Amino acid sequence: MRVRGETAPRPEPRVEPRDVVERVVAPEPAPEPRRRPAPPAHETFRAPDPPRVDNSERALARVATRKWIVTNVLAAWDDQVSRWCLILSGACLWFALGLADPTVLVPLLVFVPVLERRRRNREAQPPETETEDWL
């Protein structure tokens, strides 16, 4: 009868000594990386200053434009037809923006040329001077 769990004896593996033993040498450790010194505490990064821009030219252009608009609107306001063109032009722009309807801008095709023509005629007229009465 055979008993379970018993097995036949196994032969031990044979280890044969080598004739020449190689000498095992551990590799040399890698050199430690050089560390950069920390920057001094008082030295901090500062962004370069932006280039200096002379804004006086832009300001002068803005002032000149504003002066031109005020001068021409006041001159147009003195003329009855130009005044109505200014009022109706403003109303057209207001309704075009408020209603988001560009067809309301069509009357500007009439008002703007009338204003421009009347402005040119106003500039072409010589200033009124008193003539001396020789009689």
Side-chain angles (χ1 to χ4, degrees):
M1 245 172 82
R2 260 183 121 172
V3 180
R4 280 186 166 211
E6 279 187 36
T7 57
R10 290 189 183 168
E12 291 287 322
R14 285 189 163 182
V15 179
E16 296 179 15
R18 292 186 178 173
D19 294 336
V20 178
V21 177
E22 293 179 17
R23 186 171 183 182
V24 179
V25 178
E28 292 182 22
E32 288 189 29
R34 289 187 301 182
R35 297 184 184 187
R36 287 190 281 171
H42 66 278
E43 212 175 292
T44 58
F45 175 75
R46 183 170 172 233
D49 292 333
R52 294 178 187 234
V53 179
D54 187 17
N55 291 332
S56 62
E57 187 174 315
R58 259 191 271 166
L60 288 175
R62 207 175 309 129
V63 168
T65 304
R66 202 173 289 154
K67 185 177 179 181
W68 182 87
I69 290 172
V70 168
T71 303
N72 284 317
V73 167
L74 289 177
W77 198 256
D78 292 337
D79 180 29
Q80 187 71 25
V81 175
S82 296
R83 180 184 300 181
W84 279 105
C85 287
L86 282 173
I87 292 170
L88 293 174
S89 296
C92 287
L93 289 171
W94 180 267
F95 285 123
L97 291 173
L99 300 173
D101 185 14
T103 59
V104 182
L105 295 175
V106 172
L108 284 178
L109 296 174
V110 174
F111 300 141
V112 172
V114 168
L115 279 170
E116 184 63 26
R117 190 184 69 212
R118 293 188 71 83
R119 184 182 66 84
R120 278 197 213 136
N121 289 342
R122 201 172 34 251
E123 289 174 356
Q125 292 176 354
E128 295 180 14
T129 58
E130 293 184 23
T131 55
E132 296 181 21
D133 191 11
W134 291 95
L135 295 174

